[in-house]
Amino acid sequence: MIIFMDTTVGAIFAQGQRSIKVPVPVYIRSSASVVGTKEGRGPFGDCFDVVGTDDKFGCDTWEEAESTLQKEALQIAIGKSDLNKEEIKYLFAGDLLGQSIASSFGLGSFQIPLIGMYGACSTCGLTMAMAAMMIAGGMAEHAACVTSSHFASAEKEFRFPLGYGNQRPLSATWTVTGSGAFILSGVKGKKDRAMIDGLTIGKIVDFGLKDSMNMGACMAPAAADTICQHLEDFDRKPSDYDKIITGDLGSVGQKALWDMMREKGMDISRVHMDCGMEIYDQSQDAHAGGSGCGCSAVTLSAYILKQMEEGKWKRVLFVPTGALLSKTSFNEGQSIPGIAHGVELVNCK
């Protein structure tokens, strides 16, 4: 059997060593954010589409509540997009729970072909990158991206039952209760929020750290790796961006990131922002900040894209970060590798 390969598409997409220049416009047509009570009391409280009055969202379990977050977020995002759900070709979704049950139980009723994805807390960036590539490659006109996290379901999955009342060290982050949904399109709409211009897919970076209560430090090396690779591949410097935004490093991870970037000869302190440090204020006792799949997703939808719509930011590098651990790997004494995916956003105007 002879296989003929057309390399022209790859030549158009490839950018440097590990990045992709999106060759045709891919728009973020709409988005939505649904959050819990703690998030609603934070600095972005007035920006979210829905703030729950009960963190169980009327459900019997925390897991069902997280599924409800996803369902409501996607419904709102589709409603804003002026599209019917039948027009959305694929749904890219994932969460932190075993077998991604928040996504499968929350999104099944939409009956949109599902591509389940897992990137830990970097899942928002991963889903958007994969959807953008599929749209740019002509395989879909419209696609949806959804992810979520819930403080109580994450604690139950990865740490201790809430009733245990364990003390959290100051390096720990607080898992955001929230879901962000995004409708991506290859067709320009009337109110597109931003455009995806470039992608840098992260690789696993493991510095051998094992402290699950200090995931910011575990993820910072991956963030530094992806940011450096993106800048190198696109021949840019930090000042070319209005903001370089990581997902959920928190205050500990931010310091580690800045130190590692300076070691590489780059200072990003003037343009860097971390979603986990912005979503709560100091009075909310979130320790090092926020984390979880929902952290970067709801911040992107409610705050970052708003700044771009208003013309305050023209070019942003969005880099959600993830800690790749499970209960099994942690209990067996394995280290906690990190990963980060870069999505370059530009103003549509």
Side-chain angles (χ1 to χ4, degrees):
M1 181 174 66
I2 300 175
I3 300 175
F4 295 95
M5 297 183 65
D6 184 352
T7 60
T8 56
V9 173
I12 294 172
F13 275 80
Q15 181 78 29
Q17 182 179 346
R18 214 169 73 217
S19 297
I20 297 160
K21 171 68 176 176
V22 181
V24 297
V26 175
Y27 303 97
I28 301 178
R29 175 170 284 202
S30 66
S31 69
S33 54
V34 180
V35 301
T37 56
K38 187 181 183 76
E39 293 69 27
R41 294 191 298 268
F44 303 145
D46 293 336
C47 302
F48 299 121
D49 291 288
V50 174
V51 177
T53 57
D54 167 19
D55 283 352
K56 277 195 172 178
F57 286 81
C59 301
D60 293 329
T61 67
W62 303 119
E63 291 76 16
E64 289 176 1
E66 187 172 345
S67 292
T68 299
L69 288 170
Q70 288 208 17
K71 183 177 181 179
E72 291 193 8
L74 182 55
Q75 284 177 332
I76 295 169
I78 293 174
K80 290 181 179 180
S81 70
D82 293 328
L83 298 171
N84 298 318
K85 69 176 183 179
E86 291 77 17
E87 296 178 82
I88 298 173
K89 184 78 170 179
Y90 298 108
L91 172 56
F92 295 79
D95 55 84
L96 293 176
L97 303 182
Q99 305 295 93
S100 292
I101 59 172
S103 302
S104 57
F105 285 98
L107 305 175
S109 63
F110 289 91
Q111 289 297 287
I112 301 171
L114 173 67
I115 300 173
M117 315 208 77
Y118 183 80
C121 300
S122 71
T123 299
C124 179
L126 180 62
T127 57
M128 293 180 74
M130 296 302 106
M133 282 192 276
M134 186 164 279
I135 291 170
M139 290 165 276
E141 194 168 59
H142 314 291
C145 305
V146 188
T147 189
S148 67
S149 56
H150 193 296
F151 172 76
S153 66
E155 290 293 303
K156 182 177 173 182
E157 178 79 17
F158 291 101
R159 297 189 181 98
F160 301 99
L162 294 182
Y164 182 71
N166 63 298
Q167 186 171 353
R168 297 160 56 83
L170 293 177
S171 62
T173 50
W174 187 280
T175 304
V176 166
T177 296
S179 175
F182 305 85
I183 306 300
L184 271 56
S185 178
V187 180
K188 186 169 179 56
K190 296 178 181 178
K191 297 180 180 180
D192 297 315
R193 305 202 70 189
M195 190 168 65
I196 296 175
D197 194 48
L199 308 165
T200 301
I201 305 304
K203 65 181 182 182
I204 295 171
V205 181
D206 189 352
F207 273 31
L209 302 174
K210 298 183 178 182
D211 186 357
S212 67
M213 292 292 187
N214 188 5
M215 290 196 295
C218 298
M219 296 184 287
D225 177 80
T226 297
I227 293 169
C228 286
Q229 191 66 60
H230 181 90
L231 295 174
E232 178 184 325
D233 288 348
F234 285 93
D235 191 24
R236 295 204 180 110
K237 52 188 182 296
S239 59
D240 291 329
Y241 296 86
D242 295 295
K243 288 291 178 182
I244 295 176
I245 304 172
T246 49
D248 45 6
L249 298 181
S251 56
V252 176
Q254 183 189 62
K255 186 178 185 305
L257 171 63
W258 289 3
D259 288 345
M260 283 185 279
M261 294 297 293
R262 288 186 181 115
E263 288 177 0
K264 298 175 183 290
M266 285 177 275
D267 186 352
I268 65 170
S269 60
R270 292 186 178 182
V271 296
H272 180 249
M273 170 186 141
D274 184 72
C275 298
M277 294 179 65
E278 301 294 329
I279 196 166
Y280 301 123
D281 61 39
Q282 292 187 355
S283 69
Q284 294 181 278
D285 192 26
H287 289 15
S291 63
C293 292
C295 181
S296 57
V298 300
T299 304
L300 174 62
S301 177
Y303 181 71
I304 299 168
L305 293 179
K306 186 173 185 291
Q307 304 306 303
M308 300 194 75
E309 283 177 320
E310 294 175 354
K312 296 176 182 177
W313 298 341
K314 303 291 187 183
R315 185 178 295 274
V316 165
L317 178 57
F318 177 60
V319 190
T321 46
L324 303 174
L325 80 159
S326 72
K327 288 183 292 188
T328 301
S329 66
F330 177 76
N331 288 329
E332 290 180 351
Q334 297 289 336
S335 59
I336 303 174
I339 195 164
H341 302 292
V343 180
E344 184 175 335
L345 305 171
V346 295
N347 191 293
C348 286
K349 298 177 181 179

